[in-house]
Amino acid sequence: MSIAAAIGDTLQEEHQPNEPKRKGKWVPYLLMLPGMLWLAIFFVVPIVSLFLTSLQTPVPGGQVGEFQQTFNFANYWDTLSDSTYYIPLFRSFVYSGIATLLALAIGYPLAYAIAFKSGKFRNLLLVLVIAPFFVSFILRTIAWRQILADEGPVVAVLRSVGLVGETAGVYPSAVAVIAGITYNFLPFMTLPIYASLERVDPRLIEASGDLYAKPFTGFRKVTWPLSMPGVVAGTLLTFIPAAGDYVNAALLGRPSNTMIGNRIEYTFLSVNDYPTAAVLSFILMACILTMVLVYIRRVGTEDLV
Amino acid sequence: MAKADITQAEGDLFLENITKQFGDFRAVNDLSLQVPQGSFFALLGPSGCGKTTTLRMVAGLEDPTAGRIRIGDADITYAKPYNRPVNTVFQNYALFPHMDIFENVAFGLKRRGIKDAKQQVDEALDLIQLSQVAKRKPLQLSGGQQQRVALARAIVNRPSVLLLDEPLGALDLKLRRQMQLELKRIQTEVGLTFIHVTHDQEEAMTMADTVAVMNEGIIEQMGPPTELYESPRTAFVANFLGQSNLFPAKVAETSGDDVILEDSDGRFVMPKARVSDRVVTDPGTEVLVGVRPEKISIARLEDAAPPPADGNFVDGRVTSASFLGVSTQYEVTTHGGDTINVFAQNLDVHNLVPQGEDVRLSWLPIHGFVLSGHDDINAGVEKNV
Ligand SMILES: Nc1ncnc2c1ncn2[C@@H]1O[C@H](COP(=O)(O)OP(=O)(O)OP(=O)(O)O)[C@@H](O)[C@H]1O
Ligand SMILES: [Mg+2]
């Protein structure tokens, strides 16, 4: 939740009028020092190292996994033009995009109900939202195999209403992967939205009713825009890790459902093609960064604050 | 009753036997009142007496447990808030923080699909003299400016009834006085029915045509400010509106149009017209005699002229004298043991009476009032600081 609040606040601060310069200018830098050191050691250094790796080439006549430092930028183009890489990359964004939308569709009403309608059960419900974290991520994902299995309840219901053929199933499939991602990241969507809904003054909603807004219009004009910081934080916290996720595709999907995370893992650990794995990581990072920036720019100018 | 169009309802506002129960607690108790169309009506009362609850029922944000609310012929008791021709200026303003001032003011008009919204919003912003900040966000305005925006946002809809819930509560004294005048000016200009909730008696008296004094969920008294001040019906009103000297007495006899009262300091004459309608004037009835501190003359006992035949007086000793510039405030303990406050205008500084001096206090019978002896003599005192 604090992450969400932090993201929400940074987004808001961007739009505030320039503050006057304070005295004791060095204080903020001093406060940032530990964080900066942490970032330098655990983020910048590995990134540089990863970038160097991405430019390496195999040692001529060397063994598998032996590389020398070169500056072969062609690695990037070679990887990008290889359909065994760009298709999973594209698929990752499709899957995580759909999962993010689903998580929003489920998480927003959930957060809304907890914030406004739960009364004395509020804390209990909040605990329930994070309760899945008490069980390992892998175990929970494996449990979804059971839930979506051919003999399981979901398929039984879907078959009875004719949405799934008598011989077809749900697991393993793209549907199962997306369902798994949606489920696994739901709390990251729900909690930031809850945090920003909880800060919406109920008197504003009353005021909108007093000013002739029917309940749904009041929601659209007041509650929804005021909860945007939470929606932005929630979608980012869902989309970004989901795009790089490989557990759900590995456990709930077919080989035809592999995502870029699976490709990176496979290339790195099984093929030992470190430069290509590094290239993929960088491409993934660049894509996510671009999408996030475009997204924040758009939402930021339209609805935020 | 014919089904009148609620959204267009016009006329006087009627609250008929309204009761609001929160669990075991009765916040509003069988309250009835009529607010004439176009009047400035103040609902005055101490904190927690049910003012906000009453307003919320009129606005439709709360359903009454019993009773009806009408505007003219239209029954709005259970109408949805967005269907009522009623707008509210909320206690904390409740401006939409994500919209600029223009959008805030335009909100109600847009929801009703009014076409020339822009022009009306511009006019409303002119009225509150804030056209220059139309593009700012509420948080970039001062408290007084936000208050005016909240007012414009409600007024622009030209509701039949405008509810103001302590809109000036958060402002400092100087700004509050200024805003009071402005509110009054705007009300006269647009001619809407204003119901103004406050616990500041001075605010209620300076602004309103009619003041209703509310206490513990009921209306103690309702009328023009001068009437409430001059002829309070209950000890609560006497103490809550301004300051009063109250002391217990008994009815001794009635003679003609007068009632003769008696206490440990002697006898007082009161015209029957000055006796609260809640008091029966049979001899022996316990009553409270009231007189406002500024209506009492104070004189050194040796200087005092012989009491006029139809005047009231008591003798006592000054226990404290505070010079306040425009007036001097005396506290006098009578021989009978009552404490009486006196505000004397400072016409002549040499006439100040020092502490410890024996004095005679006198006042005209028509300046006093008589309340029921069952009233709590201290009701409404403390809260009105
Ligand atoms: N939703 C509620 N549930 C229970 N009690 C309530 C509720 N709303 C108000 N009350 C009670 O009703 C009483 C009247 O409240 P109200 O808000 O009308 O007071 P008020 O006259 O507006 O006071 P103030 O001047 O402090 O604003 C209070 O004792 C309050 O505690
Ligand atoms: Mg109130």
Side-chain angles (χ1 to χ4, degrees):
Chain A
M1 242 189 312
S2 59
I3 301 174
I7 293 185
D9 287 344
T10 9
L11 292 176
Q12 266 168 347
E13 265 158 23
E14 271 186 5
H15 297 270
Q16 269 168 11
N18 18 342
E19 288 188 3
K21 287 248 158 43
R22 299 217 183 86
K23 283 183 222 162
K25 274 202 225 157
W26 47 270
V27 173
Y29 296 105
L30 202 66
L31 291 174
M32 281 196 299
L33 194 63
M36 292 311 244
L37 277 178
W38 174 276
L39 277 181
I41 296 170
F42 294 104
F43 185 69
V44 177
V45 171
I47 282 270
V48 171
S49 137
L50 190 67
F51 185 63
L52 291 176
T53 308
S54 76
L55 301 175
Q56 289 176 352
T57 41
V59 177
Q63 288 181 330
V64 172
E66 256 191 285
F67 294 92
Q68 60 186 4
Q69 185 63 53
T70 52
F71 289 91
N72 184 20
F73 285 91
N75 279 353
Y76 278 81
W77 178 245
D78 292 346
T79 310
L80 261 181
S81 55
D82 183 340
S83 70
T84 61
Y85 293 124
Y86 71 68
I87 290 180
L89 181 68
F90 181 71
R91 191 182 290 131
S92 290
F93 292 122
V94 173
Y95 284 7
S96 56
I98 296 176
T100 303
L101 290 179
L102 286 175
L104 179 63
I106 300 169
Y108 197 100
L110 179 61
Y112 187 92
I114 297 176
F116 293 121
K117 311 281 181 197
S118 61
K120 58 179 184 230
F121 296 111
R122 171 185 291 214
N123 287 335
L124 176 70
L125 288 171
L126 283 174
V127 170
L128 287 180
V129 168
I130 52 169
F133 290 134
F134 296 128
V135 179
S136 128
F137 183 62
I138 307 280
L139 275 185
R140 280 184 283 129
T141 310
I142 290 175
W144 271 80
R145 286 180 172 177
Q146 248 95 67
I147 297 173
L148 299 177
D150 286 350
E151 314 78 46
V154 175
V155 171
V157 170
L158 290 178
R159 275 184 184 156
S160 71
V161 297
L163 273 176
V164 167
E166 281 307 318
T167 52
V170 175
Y171 160 78
S173 71
V175 172
V177 176
I178 293 173
I181 298 177
T182 307
Y183 159 76
N184 275 313
F185 291 99
L186 192 55
F188 297 104
M189 180 66 86
T190 310
L191 291 180
I193 295 179
Y194 166 78
S196 66
L197 278 175
E198 195 223 25
R199 283 192 288 176
V200 173
D201 186 344
R203 284 172 294 197
L204 293 179
I205 301 167
E206 287 186 348
S208 75
D210 188 64
L211 292 163
Y212 313 105
K214 298 205 170 75
F216 183 71
T217 316
F219 170 79
R220 209 161 46 82
K221 292 287 176 187
V222 178
T223 317
W224 171 256
L226 288 176
S227 64
M228 270 325 270
V231 172
V232 171
T235 44
L236 293 182
L237 286 176
T238 306
F239 182 76
I240 297 173
D245 180 79
Y246 61 95
V247 173
N248 287 283
L251 296 180
L252 298 173
R254 293 198 172 93
S256 63
N257 303 128
T258 46
M259 293 168 66
I260 193 65
N262 306 89
R263 294 301 290 157
I264 296 176
E265 185 212 17
Y266 178 75
T267 314
F268 195 87
L269 295 180
S270 302
V271 187
N272 292 351
D273 183 356
Y274 306 131
T276 306
V279 165
L280 286 174
S281 304
F282 262 97
I283 293 173
L284 176 64
M285 218 183 314
C287 290
I288 291 179
L289 213 58
T290 316
M291 287 186 214
V292 165
L293 285 180
V294 169
Y295 174 63
I296 290 184
R297 194 44 59 90
R298 266 188 64 95
V299 185
T301 48
E302 272 176 12
D303 283 321
L304 267 185
V305 176
Chain B
M1 196 189 313
K3 205 163 188 291
D5 181 2
I6 287 170
T7 58
Q8 303 293 327
E10 268 189 45
D12 297 359
L13 172 73
F14 297 90
L15 272 66
E16 295 166 354
N17 309 101
I18 291 291
T19 296
K20 179 69 194 184
Q21 195 92 29
F22 290 114
D24 287 344
F25 179 76
R26 189 163 280 201
V28 176
N29 189 1
D30 198 31
L31 177 141
S32 296
L33 52 85
Q34 175 181 3
V35 182
Q37 187 173 12
S39 68
F40 199 122
F41 186 93
L43 200 53
L44 175 67
S47 188
C49 73
K51 305 181 297 290
T52 297
T53 308
T54 307
L55 279 202
R56 288 174 60 83
M57 288 189 286
V58 176
L61 301 173
E62 208 91 66
D63 279 341
T65 314
R68 340 209 101 266
I69 301 171
R70 288 193 289 124
I71 295 178
D73 289 335
D75 187 328
I76 60 163
T77 315
Y78 299 109
K80 295 277 181 231
Y82 50 84
N83 280 331
R84 301 182 182 214
V86 174
N87 288 116
T88 309
V89 178
F90 289 87
Q91 197 156 0
N92 65 335
Y93 315 145
L95 298 177
F96 303 123
H98 57 298
M99 300 180 190
D100 66 25
I101 300 310
F102 185 93
E103 291 166 333
N104 263 283
V105 177
F107 192 91
L109 296 174
K110 291 229 177 99
R111 300 290 82 73
R112 287 185 303 156
I114 306 263
K115 288 198 194 63
D116 56 344
K118 170 149 175 44
Q119 193 196 333
Q120 292 188 36
V121 173
D122 287 340
E123 279 170 20
L125 289 175
D126 275 344
L127 188 70
I128 57 162
Q129 299 163 359
L130 282 181
S131 314
Q132 71 282 6
V133 299
K135 288 282 154 248
R136 284 206 219 156
K137 294 281 169 65
L139 283 176
Q140 299 168 324
L141 300 189
S142 73
Q145 290 173 326
Q146 291 183 33
Q147 195 280 326
R148 280 186 278 168
V149 173
L151 182 66
R153 187 179 70 170
I155 273 187
V156 75
N157 302 295
R158 292 289 183 269
S160 298
V161 178
L162 183 73
L163 308 174
L164 303 109
D165 192 356
E166 305 205 31
L168 311 180
L171 308 181
D172 67 38
L173 194 64
K174 191 156 163 255
L175 194 53
R176 196 146 90 203
R177 295 284 170 259
Q178 196 181 323
M179 289 304 305
Q180 284 169 6
L181 296 177
E182 203 142 321
L183 261 184
K184 185 72 195 165
R185 170 181 70 84
I186 290 171
Q187 194 261 340
T188 329
E189 223 160 283
V190 298
L192 303 175
T193 311
F194 274 39
I195 301 187
H196 182 109
V197 159
T198 174
H199 55 236
D200 176 348
Q201 45 107 2
E202 216 172 301
E203 185 171 299
M205 290 204 284
T206 49
M207 299 171 78
D209 309 317
T210 308
V211 176
V213 180
M214 195 168 174
N215 186 30
E216 294 178 354
I218 59 160
I219 292 199
E220 297 249 346
Q221 190 175 358
M222 192 160 97
T226 45
E227 183 186 312
L228 259 58
Y229 189 80
E230 296 296 324
S231 315
R233 268 185 82 223
T234 65
F236 179 85
V237 177
N239 288 322
F240 194 74
L241 274 188
Q243 228 178 309
S244 288
N245 294 300
L246 295 179
F247 41 94
K250 274 199 173 80
V251 176
E253 56 182 306
T254 54
S255 81
D257 282 342
D258 289 338
V259 189
I260 315 292
L261 307 165
E262 191 172 44
D263 86 338
S264 48
D265 282 304
R267 297 189 142 211
F268 309 102
V269 187
M270 288 287 182
K272 272 188 180 156
R274 303 292 300 152
V275 179
S276 159
D277 56 0
R278 295 162 59 243
V279 178
V280 275
T281 50
D282 296 336
T285 311
E286 308 218 341
V287 296
L288 294 175
V289 176
V291 55
R292 298 281 186 189
E294 73 279 10
K295 310 224 155 146
I296 302 176
S297 324
I298 184 167
R300 284 189 175 83
L301 202 52
E302 65 252 33
D303 300 345
D310 59 348
N312 291 320
F313 69 91
V314 288
D315 294 340
R317 176 167 293 169
V318 175
T319 47
S320 88
S322 341
F323 178 72
L324 301 177
V326 59
S327 66
T328 305
Q329 184 171 351
Y330 298 100
E331 195 178 281
V332 176
T333 304
T334 67
H335 297 323
D338 291 320
T339 302
I340 295 186
N341 286 304
V342 179
F343 299 154
Q345 261 198 331
N346 286 329
L347 292 175
D348 184 354
V349 245
H350 304 295
N351 268 351
L352 295 182
V353 184
Q355 191 178 334
E357 198 87 356
D358 284 325
V359 290
R360 169 161 294 171
L361 307 177
S362 56
W363 66 93
L364 292 176
I366 52 156
H367 284 163
F369 49 87
V370 181
L371 307 174
S372 162
H374 300 302
D375 282 4
D376 173 10
I377 198 165
N378 288 318
V381 174
E382 293 294 309
K383 297 160 190 162
N384 184 24
V385 200

